[in-house]
């Protein structure tokens, strides 16, 4: 389309600027979205949805819809004010095109003071646009419908006016570029979890989610906000008091909200958000919250004669036993740190959260003696158990020394003492353990067979956990210790590999181990030391040619290539069906094996499933098994 007058020069100049900006994003996508794996892919959705959430925060939007389409694209629609389409004076073209190609958080178009920035968050729609094969935007505004389409970030044509329309809103559809991303398949559960989370954090909005790939549809609306979030997290637990404690305060420009409830379990489930971003690695806000919790509960316990003197002081671990908590802070200029930018760095926030929670929580406790006494009694009990655990640990240490070397007798250790190259295989059962011992490379591969039941850590306290032999030998072999005392520098193997059968028992043991690592040794998961070995499902043989396959599709492909005739197929039901050589060549040998690195999300998923299947409430378990009947039977073939 021809432009007239002085706008021409501005248009050309800005077009060059835009193309340069786009190619910068496409050249180094990781700089903008962290990575091009599945995490980076889902970052695109977070970014687009965040823009609609900004309209919610501006009080201009009540509904958001998200649809995953069969062709791999994603639509986000909102009933906000619509991205402005008026000409931008400096660039001589519609504001929408500027938003889609240049501007990002920090621009004069900012609607939300609590912008998300700092590393990977709030990078702007132009980044999503640049990394999409195509991006289609529709805007309803000023009584008209407008539309524009982009390819790899560049406009395919000018903004078009398509006709009249009622109301206002924005509809964005984009298809991630397969030449940029390692995977372009959105994961329903990841999207679902994020939308559910956002609906708790923004109780004003209704979020509808449709996955056209499998026909599922869900609506998220939680008027109760983070209080309801905590109630939801405690669904499968026995709570100590029915209504979560809700605290809200402001310190300077920082807005602080906390919801707290205790259950009769032993774990700490604290989810922390900064400007709606889940800070899985914690940060200053979490440090402030913990300090306040410990201080306030100790003050209350002492002034109400639950404990005497400093000797009996409750520790942080004591007051967090059985805690379920959601902390949501809004920070004006958040600094996100760490590899995945999931930790808050602003030092001033620690004091702000600490002071707010100290004040509001002590007020609450004075006004609600019922819940106050219940939760203090729980912390006092925890403190007594901690003392018992300390004694049990001492005993374990002494016992370990008497057995010689301190390492468990079951462990077939490797020769090397360089943790960086050492690997520990956790193998289900003594028989597979024996095969693994023969098949390993003794130089750097150690084997620990796990016999019998691993204790259900969901229900057990530290002292009982340490009485379980399988868990004790596991912890001793790993070398770091557990809980607050975990010391990563003592890690004896940089790869800890779970090697279990591909059946229900195997998946049960895997879940138990993942829960143990997630709950008691989270640093091992976060630092990427936990792996799952993937044994083959099939062995195809024709004459002297042998092919191992790890999935049904792979088997079908291999069958075609080998010619169906004369091929014998062996289906492996467990590790025990392989001999040492086969196990080595398919599952243990670097370069030949397939290892899956376990992420925090994997463990969170396992953990949630675990609460449902192993917790004490019957109803959620029944519902889960009913809903997943098909999957459960598939697991057991
Ligand atoms: C800039 C200014 C205004 C709204 C928006 C951007 C806006 C952006 C997105 C992205 C997705 N949905 C959106 N909805 C609105 C305010 C415009 C005004 O004051 O009318």
């Amino acid at each position: 389309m021809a432009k007239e007058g002085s706008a021409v020069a501005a248009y050309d100049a800005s077009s060059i600027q835009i193309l340069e900006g786009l190619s910068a994003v496409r050249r180094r996508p990781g700089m903008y979205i962290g990575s091009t794996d599945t995490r980076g892919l889902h970052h695109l959705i977070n970014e687009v949805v965040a823009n609609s959430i900004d309209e919610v925060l501006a009080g201009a939007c009540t509904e958001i819809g998200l649809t995953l389409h069969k062709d791999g694209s994603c639509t986000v629609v909102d009933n906000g004010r619509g991205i402005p389409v008026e000409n931008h004076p400096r660039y001589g073209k519609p504001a929408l095109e500027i938003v889609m190609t240049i501007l990002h958080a920090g621009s004069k178009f900012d609607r939300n003071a609590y912008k998300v920035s700092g590393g990977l968050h709030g990078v702007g729609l132009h980044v999503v646009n640049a990394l999409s094969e195509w991006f289609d935007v529709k805007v309803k505004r000023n009584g008209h419908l407008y539309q524009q389409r982009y390819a790899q970030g560049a406009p395919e044509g000018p903004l078009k006016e398509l006709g009249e329309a009622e109301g206002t809103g924005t509809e964005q559809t984009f298809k991630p570029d397969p030449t940029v991303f390692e995977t372009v398949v959105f994961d329903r559960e990841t999207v679902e979890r994020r939308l559910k989370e956002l609906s708790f954090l923004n109780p004003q909005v209704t979020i509808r989610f449709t996955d056209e790939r499998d026909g599922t549809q869900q609506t998220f609306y939680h008027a109760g906000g983070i209080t309801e979030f905590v109630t939801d997290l405690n669904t499968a637990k026995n709570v100590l008091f029915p209504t979560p404690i809700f605290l809200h305060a402001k310190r300077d420009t920082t807005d602080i909200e906390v919801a707290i409830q205790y259950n009769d379990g032993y774990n700490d489930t604290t989810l922390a958000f900064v400007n709606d971003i889940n800070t899985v690695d914690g940060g200053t806000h979490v440090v402030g919250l913990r300090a306040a919790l410990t201080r306030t509960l100790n003050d209350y316990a002492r002034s109400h004669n639950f404990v005497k003197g400093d000797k009996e002081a409750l520790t942080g671990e004591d007051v967090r036993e059985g805690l379920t908590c959601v902390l949501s802070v809004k920070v004006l200029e958040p600094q996100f740190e760490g590899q995945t930018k999931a930790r808050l760095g602003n030092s001033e926030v620690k004091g702000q959260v600490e002071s707010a929670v100290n004040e509001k929580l002590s007020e609450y406790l004075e006004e609600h003696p019922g819940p106050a006494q219940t939760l203090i009694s729980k912390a006092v009990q925890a403190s007594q158990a901690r003392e018992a655990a300390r004694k049990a640990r001492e005993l374990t240490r002494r016992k370990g020394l008497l057995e010689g070397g301190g390492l468990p007798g079951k462990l077939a250790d490797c020769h090397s003492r360089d943790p960086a190259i050492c690997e520990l295989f956790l193998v289900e059962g003594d028989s597979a353990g024996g095969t693994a011992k023969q098949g390993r490379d003794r130089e750097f591969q150690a084997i620990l067979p796990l016999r019998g039941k691993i204790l259900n850590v969901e229900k057990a306290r530290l002292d009982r956990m340490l009485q379980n032999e399988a868990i004790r030998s596991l912890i001793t072999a790993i070398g770091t210790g557990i809980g607050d005392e975990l010391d990563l520098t003592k890690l004896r193997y940089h790869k800890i590999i779970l090697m279990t059968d591909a059946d229900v028992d195997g998946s049960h043991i895997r879940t138990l181990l993942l829960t143990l690592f997630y709950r008691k040794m989270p640093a091992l998961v976060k630092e990427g030391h936990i792996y799952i070995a993937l044994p083959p499902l099939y062995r195809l043989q024709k004459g002297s040619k042998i092919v191992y396959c790890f999935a049904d599709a792979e088997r079908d492909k291999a069958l075609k290539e080998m010619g169906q005739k004369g091929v014998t197929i062996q289906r492996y039901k467990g590790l025990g069906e392989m001999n040492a050589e086969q196990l080595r060549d398919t599952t243990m040998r670097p370069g030949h094996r397939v290892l899956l690195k376990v992420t925090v999300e994997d463990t969170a998923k396992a953990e949630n499933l675990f609460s449902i299947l192993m917790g004490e409430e019957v109803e959620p378990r029944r519902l889960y098994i009913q809903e997943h009947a098909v999957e459960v039977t598939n697991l057991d073939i």
Side-chain angles (χ1 to χ4, degrees), residues 48 51-52 55 78 80-84 99 109 111 125 141 170 172:
V48 173
N51 283 286
S52 296
E55 279 298 277
D78 68 58
R81 291 165 293 184
I83 303 177
V99 167
F109 279 113
R111 299 149 286 163
L125 283 175
R141 218 177 133 87
T170 304
Q172 310 174 74

Side-chain angles (χ1 to χ4, degrees), residues 554-612:
E554 218 178 295
R555 174 203 57 194
D556 296 343
K557 195 164 157 248
L559 260 178
K560 249 191 215 137
E561 281 167 13
M562 291 165 88
Q564 312 257 359
K565 257 209 192 133
V567 182
T568 49
I569 305 178
Q570 184 186 358
R571 166 88 160 93
Y572 289 123
K573 292 216 177 69
L575 299 168
E577 292 176 24
M578 274 182 266
N579 63 32
E581 198 188 3
Q582 292 170 343
L583 189 63
R584 179 193 66 203
D585 289 344
T586 60
T587 316
M588 297 180 72
R589 197 165 156 199
H592 295 247
R593 66 189 180 189
V594 183
L595 286 188
L596 308 173
K597 191 190 266 192
V598 174
T599 65
V600 175
E601 286 104 67
D602 295 335
T603 38
K605 257 190 228 165
E607 202 262 341
N608 184 24
L609 178 59
F610 197 78
S611 296
I612 292 175

